[in-house]
Amino acid sequence: MPEPHIHLSIDGGVYPARSGEPLIDALNRARVDVPQVCYHPQLGPVQTCDTCVVEVDGRLVRACGTQAQAGMTVRTAVQSAQRAREDAFDRLLANHLLYCTVCDNNNGNCTVHNTTRALGVQHQERPFQPKPHAQDHSNPFYRYDPDQCILCGRCVEACQNLQVNETLTINWEDEHPRVLWDGDKPAGESSCVSCGHCVTVCPCNALMEKSMLGEAGFFTGLELPVFQSAVAVVKNVEPSLGYGPILNLSEIEAAGREGSIRRTKTVCTYCGVGCSFEVWTKDRHILKVEPEGGPANGVSTCVKGKFGWDYVNSGERLTTPLIREAGRFREATWDEALDVIARRLTEIRREHGPDALAFIASSKTTNEEAFLMQKLARAVVGTNNMDNCSRYCQSPATMGLWRTVGYGGDSGGIAELERAGLVIGIGTNTAESHPVLATRVKRAQKLRGQRLIVVDLREHEMARRADLFVRPNPGTDFVWLNAVSRHILDEGLEDRAFLERWVNGLDEFRASLDGYTLDYAEGVTGIPQDTLRRIAREIVEADGTCVMWAMGVTQQMGGTETSTAISNLLLVTGNYMRPGAGAYPLRGHNNVQGASDMGAMPGFVTGYQRVDDPAVRARYAAVWGTELPINKGLDNHEMVHAIHGGHLRAMYLKGEEMAVVDSNANYVDAALEKLDFLVVQDVFFSHTASFADVVLPASPSLEKDGTFTNTERRIQRLYKALEPLGQSKPDWQIIQLVANRLGAGWKYTHPSQIMDEVASLTPLYAGVNYERLEGFRSLQWPVHADGTDTPLLFADGFPFPDGKARLYPAQFVARAEPPTAEYDLHLNNGRMLEHFHEGNMTFRAAGLAGQVPGTFVEVSPELAEERGVQSGSLVRLVSRHEAVCLPVLVTNRVIGRQLYMPMNTPDAAQAVNRLTGSHADLSTHTPAYKDTAVRMEVLGADGPPPLPRTNHRSGHPTPQLGVEVERKWRRPDYVFPGSGLPMVEGGADD
């Protein structure tokens, strides 16, 4: 929380400040102009550049490294401070070859250029000295130029203490220091995860996106000899003309770029973190992604959000409608395609009734598009057969939270995770599935001593970093959670005051724990009793506990029950209703939260209002002019069975690779083949589209306006950066065209009108409109009609009639497919950092595909030795349902007889869901993807390892606490600038 306000004297004026904040922040708020090359507000004081020197109470100090204190007298205009700043900057320029006019970074935001101008630099006292290091182009996404590097250390600070990948350092003791990757490896052969933090915070052109090089400016695509000649001209005229005219020319060139470079705010289209940033485009060329102040991410990105946009301009994009005729697809006009859709849907509805049709919305598309999809199903066709891909991942978490606390969303914002005393991750590979969110936990653990417990089958990055890493037997999280809750209650360690004031059902819950002793839990889970006691003690003693969980919990037979057990444990220990505590079911897709919020579910309309609630039905009837259907709808798991049963005859599916991501994929394929009529609306011709009768070309997020809602319930706008490619259209326009062919008469001309309708029907979104979401502004639901939002849920109680939460007596559901003598191995699966979901977007990004070209199976060293396989060996995995052939990766990330497969693959025949079955969570029908037993047949053909040696997992990080600037200060050639100069008023030229 902010410290108490104080007041400072700055250049004779009195200004407010916060006690203990960096003095530079107070100066910036007061609009006192002080250079600051290395300082970045999201990195904190780096203290390497010395350009922010000011006088405080008679001493020269760095404004970034000095904490504001009451009564300070700050002077910035004394001659010694000014000369110190100029001397410090001159030292930086000696490291930097200044050639702004022909530089791709000459875009008005180069800190070095702007500081040169602000200080009125005409000549360098210290001439530029080339460094004996070559440029590093080894990373597929960015390059490092040591001759441009001013050694400010921002990139190191970002890598070490913000991203906390701990790859970058500076060899301060070297005669010619430079930024190092893994101690001195090429960037592309290091532990660098290409998150882009370093490139984003670089204050000049030392680190540049390769997509910018030769593209950004009018003169930046010059051939190397010509480019070098142009640079030489600049350097030759500087001694006689000074930098003034040179900078004038570069600023004219930069201003000219404004007409060709477009900067558009958007929201990332990958995971549920909801990173927002500006995307820079020049015609259709995507120059770069520039994060600065996104409410969920700040300057942070991951490799996909920063560099994974090649798919937008892929030559494989669908650009025209397709109609199947005589078993083959032909290109068609929009009118032809719409006529076929309207005719066939109308025929099937007339012959078999509205419930013979089903609709599936996408968690990749916008809120407005999800809303229209369910409106099409309910208001136009008349069916509740409506779902989205939350059924495949997060529905059990939502159900568990509905049962206990009333809202199925994250208790607080991502920032609250940093404030927790303890974070527990259960079944979540957070650093790869939600990378930017993981950085906040890693940062809090490294810099603030936050405790981290990870419970998972696999030793991923978060497990390696954990203070306690626990490996339970597969599918047994419910048991240890209940045992810990019982132990806390038995020992009288519960939060009694919280339970008495805010929670119902304690007696019934206590009774449901009968039998869940620590001894029983050890026998079932394999977790020692002392470890369970330690977990209980850590939760009770922590100043706030947050529990993160994901598909390792939800994709089990008892995913809902385990999610309920997590919330029960948080209630017992009083870990709701306050900052730094609560439940964090991490949403997988960029808009899986929003798709469900918008009513793309069989039993709910927008805001989780039940379709059979008379008051809800009346409200909708008044706005839509038609009654809602009341028959129970099918979820997407039930839809597949209904097709095989002959009850479901037609399906309209948008943006969902159902044939690959649903479980028991062969059974799903067979169902899609049985449909009388299938419409698929997508950006690419997916495997699912191969079963379609009509394929409609949709537009990705960069080609539309709309909103997404992220995992922390944050609603954010995205703006159209590019025109739709070919004849493709935004999904909302396509749905409206289909609806109107069916007689709807919709007249939406912009997504803002759709959101206005959502707000009028939905208490959770009552105050949401596009004006309140302008730019980087955002709102976290519930949003009241006056625009007041709710960053922290439950601050005033729980959304039940009496305002109290409910302890829910959940039941243990055992695995359906434990290993047997025939199927003797447990198969786990999940995401990888470089790819998303099945990979339809990311495998079309060359840099991402180069890092992970295809799928594989992770095998433990002990099992590899037993079976005689090595990395690159080809094996056949056989389950009760099907078989796949793929290469082996031997790794200690898995142990014993447990295997792991990524869910990402460019080849549908190798998809992990060829192996998974149709058994599902009993409450929500979420497939039990993590409950699969297989046998492994060695095929004997050895090939190259499935991950190239350039993959970051082969690197060796070099952790340290930030840039370690003290090592620079110890260099014999370092002198604090301004030492010995008199502190007199007036400019340096007086």
Side-chain angles (χ1 to χ4, degrees):
M1 297 294 289
E3 294 295 323
H5 280 279
I6 58 173
H7 288 86
L8 309 177
S9 171
I10 303 175
D11 292 338
V14 178
Y15 297 91
R18 287 188 289 270
S19 180
E21 72 172 329
L23 177 58
I24 192 70
D25 286 346
L27 293 172
N28 288 339
R29 277 199 309 276
R31 298 186 179 182
V32 176
D33 190 17
V34 174
Q36 45 203 282
V37 175
C38 73
Y39 183 69
H40 190 291
Q42 293 186 52
L43 300 179
V46 182
Q47 301 192 80
T48 55
C49 75
D50 297 336
T51 60
C52 66
V53 169
V54 296
E55 186 224 284
V56 174
D57 298 335
R59 295 186 306 114
L60 291 181
V61 299
R62 301 177 189 90
C64 68
T66 301
Q67 294 184 349
Q69 302 294 337
M72 269 185 173
T73 298
V74 182
R75 298 195 298 174
T76 68
V78 292
Q79 187 180 77
S80 56
Q82 289 198 23
R83 286 185 174 174
R85 295 193 291 266
E86 292 163 1
D87 181 58
F89 188 64
D90 191 71
R91 293 169 186 260
L92 297 183
L93 288 181
N95 286 313
H96 182 76
L97 183 59
L98 205 66
Y99 54 79
C100 303
T101 305
V102 292
C103 175
D104 283 293
N105 200 47
N106 187 39
N107 300 292
N109 62 344
C110 176
T111 303
V112 171
H113 173 103
N114 294 342
T115 306
T116 304
R117 169 66 80 188
L119 289 176
V121 176
Q122 293 299 317
H123 303 284
Q124 292 177 227
E125 293 184 16
R126 300 171 179 84
F128 166 72
Q129 296 294 326
K131 304 182 185 74
H133 308 300
Q135 291 186 14
D136 187 343
H137 289 260
S138 61
N139 184 281
F141 305 109
Y142 64 85
R143 71 100 175 94
Y144 172 59
D145 185 351
D147 276 347
Q148 299 305 105
C149 180
I150 60 173
L151 297 173
C152 68
R154 274 191 185 185
C155 59
V156 175
E157 187 71 21
C159 184
Q160 291 285 344
N161 289 349
L162 182 56
Q163 160 67 18
V164 198
N165 201 58
E166 302 174 318
T167 298
L168 301 186
T169 56
I170 294 177
N171 54 340
W172 290 115
E173 293 76 20
D174 194 85
E175 182 181 359
H176 302 284
R178 67 181 292 261
V179 176
L180 303 178
W181 279 253
D182 284 3
D184 195 12
K185 293 285 187 183
E189 298 177 17
S190 72
S191 62
C192 173
V193 294
S194 301
C195 64
H197 284 67
C198 59
V199 185
T200 295
V201 301
C202 181
C204 56
N205 61 339
L207 286 159
M208 286 283 293
E209 299 90 343
K210 286 185 174 179
S211 53
M212 285 280 284
L213 299 179
E215 296 285 350
F218 292 101
F219 309 113
T220 58
L222 301 173
E223 295 293 329
L224 187 59
V226 180
F227 175 82
Q228 290 172 333
S229 298
V231 174
V233 169
V234 173
K235 304 311 291 183
N236 289 336
V237 299
E238 181 264 325
S240 58
L241 294 180
Y243 278 133
I246 296 172
L247 295 181
N248 289 339
L249 180 61
S250 69
E251 287 164 8
I252 292 171
E253 195 270 348
R257 297 184 188 190
E258 295 295 322
S260 59
I261 295 178
R262 187 178 180 191
R263 308 179 189 190
T264 309
K265 186 257 183 170
T266 192
V267 181
C268 188
T269 190
Y270 288 111
C271 81
V273 172
C275 296
S276 55
F277 32 68
E278 286 187 337
V279 58
W280 292 28
T281 54
K282 186 177 182 181
D283 297 323
R284 285 200 68 89
H285 181 72
I286 298 172
L287 290 167
K288 69 170 176 174
V289 157
E290 183 80 353
E292 185 57 39
N297 62 301
V299 297
S300 296
T301 47
C302 76
V303 62
K304 298 185 292 293
K306 180 74 172 176
F307 300 112
W309 296 89
D310 293 8
Y311 75 92
V312 173
N313 289 316
S314 169
E316 299 178 69
R317 280 277 304 274
L318 287 170
T319 57
T320 186
L322 303 175
I323 294 176
R324 183 192 295 273
E325 289 183 352
R328 303 183 67 176
F329 287 97
R330 69 167 177 85
E331 293 187 353
T333 66
W334 274 102
D335 279 339
E336 287 180 292
L338 293 168
D339 284 345
V340 171
I341 293 169
R343 175 172 55 82
R344 293 295 289 127
L345 293 183
T346 299
E347 290 172 351
I348 293 169
R349 183 180 186 275
R350 183 186 306 120
E351 184 174 352
H352 301 284
D355 288 335
L357 285 71
F359 298 79
I360 295 179
S362 173
S363 295
K364 307 303 298 170
T365 61
T366 65
N367 286 319
E368 295 75 10
E369 290 163 340
F371 175 80
L372 287 193
M373 196 68 169
Q374 62 92 35
K375 183 176 182 179
L376 171 64
R378 293 185 165 111
V380 181
V381 173
T383 182
N384 284 318
N385 294 340
M386 176 75 243
D387 211 357
N388 72 88
C389 85
S390 68
R391 189 70 49 197
Y392 297 141
C393 54
Q394 279 295 324
S395 290
T398 300
M399 179 66 76
L401 292 172
W402 279 345
R403 286 174 171 179
T404 53
V405 294
Y407 281 141
D410 289 0
S411 301
I414 292 170
E416 295 301 327
L417 287 167
E418 292 192 72
R419 300 176 61 178
L422 169 67
V423 169
I424 304 176
I426 308 174
T428 166
N429 180 5
T430 320
E432 299 197 59
S433 296
H434 302 86
V436 169
L437 183 147
T439 67
R440 297 342 189 206
V441 177
K442 293 190 291 183
R443 177 180 173 89
Q445 184 199 31
K446 180 175 183 176
L447 302 183
R448 199 174 60 77
Q450 180 184 80
R451 302 287 293 173
L452 175 62
I453 296 175
V454 170
V455 184
D456 214 322
L457 304 186
R458 188 166 165 266
E459 191 180 21
H460 44 67
E461 180 187 347
M462 299 302 280
R464 290 197 308 272
R465 292 181 177 275
D467 299 290
L468 175 63
F469 172 41
V470 180
R471 272 183 156 135
N473 292 328
T476 63
D477 289 314
F478 178 88
V479 175
W480 73 259
L481 285 160
N482 267 16
V484 168
S485 289
R486 173 173 172 166
H487 176 71
I488 289 171
L489 290 168
D490 287 349
E491 296 295 314
L493 301 174
E494 71 275 16
D495 189 330
R496 296 179 187 176
F498 181 85
L499 289 169
E500 290 174 3
R501 175 66 181 86
W502 292 112
V503 184
N504 291 321
L506 178 58
D507 291 341
E508 295 85 349
F509 175 64
R510 193 190 296 268
S512 76
L513 300 179
D514 185 36
Y516 286 95
T517 64
L518 296 183
D519 181 62
Y520 169 74
E522 180 177 13
V524 173
T525 69
I527 304 173
Q529 294 182 48
D530 283 347
T531 300
L532 296 173
R533 292 188 185 94
R534 177 178 171 183
I535 293 172
R537 184 174 64 253
E538 293 240 16
I539 295 171
V540 170
E541 294 178 354
D543 181 13
T545 296
C546 291
V547 178
M548 312 181 301
W549 74 101
M551 296 185 296
V553 167
T554 59
Q555 293 179 340
Q556 304 275 4
M557 291 295 295
T560 294
E561 306 305 299
T562 304
S563 298
T564 305
I566 291 170
S567 190
N568 285 335
L569 176 57
L570 289 167
L571 287 171
V572 165
T573 53
N575 277 298
Y576 279 111
M577 304 185 74
R578 59 190 174 111
Y584 284 79
L586 304 181
R587 307 311 195 187
H589 285 259
N590 58 301
N591 203 39
V592 70
Q593 181 72 60
S596 297
D597 293 350
M598 293 299 105
M601 304 172 76
F604 302 91
V605 286
T606 56
Y608 310 97
Q609 302 172 93
R610 294 183 60 89
V611 294
D612 57 1
D613 184 325
V616 173
R617 295 173 59 80
R619 185 183 310 123
Y620 269 78
V623 175
W624 284 0
T626 185
E627 292 292 328
L628 291 174
I630 198 166
N631 293 344
K632 179 185 180 299
L634 300 174
D635 61 45
N636 49 20
H637 184 76
E638 294 171 317
M639 290 175 192
V640 176
H641 295 304
I643 296 169
H644 281 292
H647 311 300
L648 191 62
R649 314 303 289 263
M651 180 179 288
Y652 181 0
L653 179 154
K654 74 175 174 77
E656 183 62 66
E657 179 67 294
M658 186 175 183
V660 174
V661 302
D662 202 347
S663 62
N664 201 350
N666 296 295
Y667 183 68
V668 177
D669 283 358
L672 297 179
E673 287 177 343
K674 285 184 177 181
L675 281 169
D676 293 347
F677 189 66
L678 174 63
V679 179
V680 171
Q681 184 170 307
D682 213 324
V683 175
F684 295 105
F685 190 86
S686 62
H687 179 61
T688 306
S690 68
F691 297 97
D693 296 282
V694 178
V695 180
L696 302 177
S699 299
S701 61
L702 291 188
E703 296 174 2
K704 65 178 73 171
D705 292 285
T707 61
F708 292 152
T709 304
N710 76 344
T711 189
E712 56 178 353
R713 302 169 284 106
R714 187 182 299 280
I715 309 155
Q716 301 181 86
R717 278 186 70 175
L718 54 145
Y719 296 78
K720 184 169 73 173
L722 302 169
E723 291 299 319
L725 193 63
Q727 296 181 45
S728 66
K729 297 178 184 294
D731 291 271
W732 70 270
Q733 292 184 11
I734 300 174
I735 299 167
Q736 177 162 262
L737 288 171
V738 171
N740 287 344
R741 286 298 173 107
L742 293 170
W746 295 353
K747 296 179 181 178
Y748 304 108
T749 60
H750 191 267
S752 60
Q753 299 164 335
I754 305 171
M755 181 53 72
D756 290 342
E757 184 173 325
V758 171
S760 72
L761 292 165
T762 315
L764 284 183
Y765 278 67
V768 179
N769 60 50
Y770 273 37
E771 289 72 28
R772 288 173 176 157
L773 298 174
E774 186 70 31
F776 283 87
R777 289 189 290 173
S778 66
L779 297 166
Q780 289 172 269
W781 65 251
V783 184
H784 304 292
D786 64 358
T788 305
D789 69 341
T790 315
L792 179 67
L793 286 180
F794 319 125
D796 301 315
F798 297 87
F800 292 115
D802 62 358
K804 292 187 176 183
R806 303 169 178 176
L807 287 163
Y808 187 97
Q811 302 295 318
F812 178 51
V813 181
R815 288 187 287 170
E817 283 197 11
T820 63
E822 181 179 3
Y823 302 102
D824 59 330
L825 306 174
H826 174 76
L827 178 65
N828 190 14
N829 64 82
R831 293 195 170 102
M832 293 193 73
L833 173 67
E834 294 85 347
H835 289 296
F836 191 80
H837 216 43
E838 75 291 324
N840 279 349
M841 296 186 295
T842 51
F843 278 109
R844 290 176 169 89
L848 297 175
Q851 293 297 298
V852 181
T855 194
F856 51 86
V857 58
E858 291 187 353
V859 176
S860 68
E862 56 267 35
L863 183 62
E865 182 177 3
E866 176 189 312
R867 302 294 170 91
V869 298
Q870 60 188 15
S871 290
S873 296
L874 192 64
V875 298
R876 186 170 183 259
L877 298 185
V878 184
S879 75
R880 294 172 173 87
H881 316 285
E882 190 46 86
V884 299
C885 297
L886 69 172
V888 163
L889 179 69
V890 179
T891 172
N892 57 14
R893 285 190 285 272
V894 292
I895 60 171
R897 306 175 87 77
Q898 296 182 18
L899 308 176
Y900 179 87
M901 265 186 75
M903 64 172 60
N904 329 109
T905 175
D907 183 357
Q910 288 187 312
V912 67
N913 286 320
R914 299 287 170 203
L915 302 172
T916 56
S918 295
H919 48 290
D921 174 65
L922 302 183
S923 299
T924 64
H925 300 152
T926 294
Y929 296 96
K930 304 296 191 285
D931 181 9
T932 303
V934 299
R935 67 174 183 265
M936 184 170 70
E937 299 173 355
V938 181
L939 300 182
D942 291 338
L947 292 181
R949 65 178 178 82
T950 55
N951 186 278
H952 72 90
R953 294 167 181 81
S954 299
H956 300 281
T958 50
Q960 62 183 41
L961 195 61
V963 74
E964 295 188 350
V965 67
E966 295 82 3
R967 291 164 51 204
K968 174 183 178 177
W969 297 341
R970 289 196 294 266
R971 287 179 60 91
D973 58 354
Y974 176 77
V975 177
F976 184 75
S979 300
L981 290 175
M983 298 181 194
V984 288
E985 299 287 356
D989 295 328
D990 288 357

